[in-house]
Amino acid sequence: MDEKWNVFAEDNVVFMHRSWTGHGVYEASFAPVPGGGRRVVSAVMEADRERYRSMGDEYDRLMMELIISAIVLGEPAADLRAGLVELTARASGKSDLPSGVVEHSALGLRSGS
């Protein structure tokens, strides 16, 4: 429950669902890259405003990347977290949000100290 996301993969697609509702919010399709590894080749998000209220494409791209980096891969993702705080501050009209805002928000991402 800490992360508030259920993330699973089928073939080359990673599905990201809210844990409390079970609603799918993001899907990312991956393809192999030369030299090893994979990269996102396409991504979609829930468009039903009853299930998910998007804060815009930039926010959704960053959130999807942060879920994969921080929750799935366990990376600190400090730059992604900082970007999310900046976007949240911009959307709220406040410039003095603490960096820990990500930890206790509805986003459900734990801040790595």
Side-chain angles (χ1 to χ4, degrees):
M1 293 293 275
D2 252 359
E3 279 84 9
K4 299 181 184 167
W5 290 97
N6 290 328
V7 181
F8 61 96
E10 291 181 4
D11 296 321
N12 291 320
V13 181
V14 173
F15 298 89
M16 292 157 260
H17 291 226
R18 295 302 293 188
S19 65
W20 290 4
T21 64
H23 294 152
V25 176
Y26 301 116
E27 291 179 18
S29 297
F30 288 79
V33 294
R38 296 187 171 276
R39 71 179 184 97
V40 174
V41 292
S42 67
V44 294
M45 64 163 217
E46 174 63 67
D48 182 342
R49 305 267 307 150
E50 299 272 327
R51 292 176 167 237
Y52 174 70
R53 287 190 221 160
S54 173
M55 290 179 60
D57 291 345
E58 184 180 7
Y59 179 89
D60 288 320
R61 180 205 53 82
L62 185 61
M63 178 57 80
M64 189 181 313
E65 190 174 352
L66 188 53
I67 293 167
I68 293 168
S69 293
I71 294 173
V72 175
L73 300 176
E75 300 172 343
D79 56 333
L80 296 174
R81 291 176 192 280
L84 190 61
V85 170
E86 180 183 326
L87 284 176
T88 303
R90 196 178 325 151
S92 72
K94 298 180 180 181
S95 61
D96 60 345
L97 290 177
S99 60
V101 73
V102 174
E103 181 177 1
H104 298 292
S105 70
L107 308 172
L109 296 169
R110 287 181 288 168
S111 178
S113 302

